[in-house]
Amino acid sequence: MNTWTVRCLSEAVSPITHTSGTAGNVSVIAREPVVTDRGVVFLPFLSGNAMRHRLVREPGMRWLIAAYELGGKLSLDQLNFLMHGGNLTKSTARENTKRIAEMHRLWPLLRLVGGSLPDQILAGCLDVWRGVLVCEENRPCLERIINGLLPEEKLYPAETWISEYQYTRGDAAKTGMAKDQLVLDSNLMIYSGQCVNRGAMFVHGFVLKHCTELELGALFWSLRLWQATGGTVGGMAAKGHGRLKLYLLDYDEKKQEELCQKYTQYALEVKDEAVAWLQECFA
Amino acid sequence: MNQVPLIEGLTPEQFRQKLAGLLDPREQLTPQHRQEIKDLAIKFVAVLPAVFGEGLDRLTMWEKIASALEVAFAKTAGADHEFFIEQVMKGILADRAKASANQQLAEVIATLEQWGTEQRHAWINYFGTHLVPVLVHARNQWTRRKEKSK
């Protein structure tokens, strides 16, 4: 058992619209207050919640569901447990140590991200850092994460990386094809919002607490699957937003491949036992 | 496995190189350079009323100048100051004869030619980030000059 830290750099290769709500009719990006020597500033960030789901749980679980041929065979509760963490719904919650031990043995990815069975919470052992925008205001935070690698010269301020997009949605009135159309006036809808510009970079990372190399392999395999399927975070991916290009700081490609091989082989070897465990938990 | 590409690893040196692209070029300039950029931006805009197109309505002159600067800034990539100036002149339908004879415009162009690429780039960017303050100063300068010549 070891504790590993995996540090990453993600470069925005399309506008990032990880939003937190709306102001008027404009969607605004998620920002967090940061205390700097010039007072409190609100800087864009990527939430750990989004990173955990999009980068780790979702791609990893989708692969397992396909590899275990579970597509169409799972109940909604089972699917929610695997893909979204599930819910504690029974009043008779309990602590079943054997069940936890079996989960740790059979589902390295679940050991990482945890979840809740109807009658038992299963803690995960993966801490996911927030995505910290590489900008001058974040220097003190970045220095702690990437000690010694930050240039001494001043970085662009955060506002350099924020801009706005505006799109329009058409109206079929212009086609004149609707059978109930009385007037030809089109009702074009304009919608807009803030985004983090292409070229921005985020430093983020993962801490795997007291894990084996199988869990580390599960993490890398999920990250690879996520990148291979577009690597998006936030909204508007259907309109080309949210794409990140991921780089790893501490692991070379050879080690990464070795760990992924180990994990995928193991996951396929324990397929029957893993599926049986899942069915038993939801019996 | 082979169909899923590996995640690219970065050595510390490669990481530093990636971050080098995020350095703010404005911060590489000295306070004196920054003041020169501001002064020259004001001087340039204060020249524009003198060459403003005859066919345009002078009542909306400053609005049209602002718009010409905005469009020129949006069209200019990099540090091509000549292209930027050309776009501004087009935007206000500048009188070419007046422009070519304008001593202050010639001085602006001559100064820009002496500057390095970074400073020229920063000069063009200044219009994108400080347009209204530049207009305020330029308009004051133009008004003072006009009153002096009365």
Side-chain angles (χ1 to χ4, degrees):
Chain A
M1 294 281 178
N2 272 312
T3 292
W4 282 285
T5 300
V6 179
R7 297 180 302 169
C8 306
L9 180 73
S10 279
E11 181 179 358
V13 290
S14 76
I16 306 296
T17 40
H18 180 56
T19 58
S20 65
T22 56
N25 59 356
V26 173
S27 68
V28 291
I29 50 171
R31 299 198 194 205
E32 62 181 342
V34 174
V35 180
T36 70
D37 51 10
R38 287 179 292 156
V40 177
V41 291
F42 289 80
L43 306 178
F45 72 102
L46 300 173
S47 73
N49 184 47
M51 304 292 268
R52 185 182 182 87
H53 180 75
R54 296 297 284 274
L55 277 66
V56 188
R57 186 187 278 275
E58 190 190 25
M61 282 303 173
R62 277 185 187 276
W63 181 77
L64 281 172
I65 289 168
Y68 289 177
E69 299 167 276
L70 292 172
K73 296 176 189 166
L74 296 171
S75 67
L76 185 58
D77 284 347
Q78 286 173 319
L79 202 55
N80 272 327
F81 168 66
L82 295 178
M83 300 287 289
H84 301 284
N87 290 302
L88 192 67
T89 51
K90 287 188 182 168
S91 57
T92 53
R94 61 199 176 126
E95 178 75 19
N96 183 336
T97 312
K98 183 170 177 273
R99 190 193 264 177
I100 297 172
E102 283 295 278
M103 181 200 80
H104 284 186
R105 184 174 72 82
L106 299 169
W107 293 80
L109 183 61
L110 266 183
R111 174 148 196 231
L112 279 182
V113 294
S116 181
L117 293 167
D119 61 352
Q120 183 174 5
I121 290 173
L122 305 164
C125 57
L126 177 71
D127 286 352
V128 182
W129 297 347
R130 285 171 167 227
V132 178
L133 180 71
V134 180
C135 63
E136 190 57 31
E137 293 90 334
N138 270 330
R139 180 177 287 275
C141 173
L142 292 166
E143 272 170 354
R144 284 195 289 274
I145 302 172
I146 46 172
N147 192 20
L149 296 177
L150 209 58
E152 283 176 14
E153 297 93 330
K154 284 202 169 181
L155 299 160
Y156 277 118
E159 288 307 315
T160 312
W161 297 112
I162 301 164
S163 63
E164 291 190 350
Y165 66 86
Q166 180 178 293
Y167 297 128
T168 52
R169 193 184 69 179
D171 186 338
K174 272 188 174 173
T175 64
M177 289 160 69
K179 64 178 181 183
D180 55 350
Q181 191 173 341
L182 300 173
V183 287
L184 279 174
D185 289 346
S186 132
N187 197 11
L188 196 71
M189 187 180 85
I190 294 173
Y191 60 103
S192 58
Q194 291 182 325
C195 60
V196 175
N197 299 337
R198 194 156 58 89
M201 293 198 198
F202 292 90
V203 169
H204 57 104
F206 306 92
V207 178
L208 296 84
K209 297 170 293 184
H210 312 298
C211 291
T212 67
E213 286 200 336
L214 280 176
E215 281 87 45
L216 188 56
L219 173 69
F220 286 143
W221 184 236
S222 290
L223 294 175
R224 281 173 68 177
L225 292 165
W226 170 72
Q227 273 289 275
T229 49
T232 61
V233 289
M236 306 265 288
K239 295 171 183 68
H241 287 215
R243 291 194 61 200
L244 291 175
K245 163 79 176 150
L246 178 71
Y247 300 95
L248 289 178
L249 263 65
D250 305 301
Y251 292 87
D252 63 23
E253 292 173 4
K254 196 178 158 200
K255 182 72 182 166
Q256 187 196 132
E257 176 67 4
E258 182 192 312
L259 290 165
C260 287
Q261 288 270 8
K262 204 170 167 182
Y263 165 66
T264 51
Q265 272 174 18
Y266 178 80
L268 295 173
E269 275 168 26
V270 296
K271 174 186 167 184
D272 293 339
E273 281 185 278
V275 173
W277 178 88
L278 183 68
Q279 302 298 9
E280 194 190 314
C281 289
F282 284 84
Chain B
M1 289 282 290
N2 294 335
Q3 289 152 356
V4 183
L6 286 160
I7 300 161
E8 218 175 296
L10 289 180
T11 62
E13 190 46 44
Q14 287 169 325
F15 182 79
R16 279 193 205 98
Q17 281 170 7
K18 280 258 162 217
L19 261 51
L22 307 184
L23 299 179
D24 188 349
R26 287 170 300 182
E27 294 294 337
Q28 319 302 317
L29 300 168
T30 62
Q32 189 199 334
H33 281 152
R34 276 184 245 167
Q35 189 58 45
E36 285 170 2
I37 286 165
K38 181 182 172 180
D39 292 345
L40 199 69
I42 294 165
K43 186 174 178 178
F44 172 63
V45 177
V47 164
L48 300 179
V51 297
F52 193 72
E54 301 267 320
L56 296 175
D57 182 1
R58 283 191 87 84
L59 288 175
T60 56
M61 180 173 73
W62 287 101
E63 187 55 45
K64 289 205 169 65
I65 287 174
S67 173
L69 287 162
E70 269 179 335
V71 171
F73 172 71
K75 284 184 178 176
T76 310
D80 190 344
H81 64 285
E82 289 175 336
F83 178 81
F84 176 79
I85 292 170
E86 179 68 19
Q87 294 305 311
V88 175
M89 295 299 162
K90 275 187 180 167
I92 56 168
L93 300 179
D95 184 311
R96 290 174 192 178
K98 282 184 186 170
S100 59
N102 190 296
Q103 188 54 37
Q104 282 172 316
L105 183 58
E107 283 169 19
V108 169
I109 294 170
T111 307
L112 284 166
E113 278 165 3
Q114 285 164 15
W115 285 358
T117 312
E118 282 301 330
Q119 204 174 352
R120 280 205 305 269
H121 199 176
W123 183 75
I124 294 168
N125 278 342
Y126 197 76
F127 292 99
T129 53
H130 297 78
L131 182 58
V132 174
V134 168
L135 287 167
V136 170
H137 288 300
R139 191 168 183 168
N140 281 339
Q141 208 175 89
W142 166 248
T143 310
R144 280 199 303 274
R145 202 182 298 156
K146 222 169 42 171
E147 281 168 1
K148 222 174 175 180
S149 63
K150 274 181 189 172

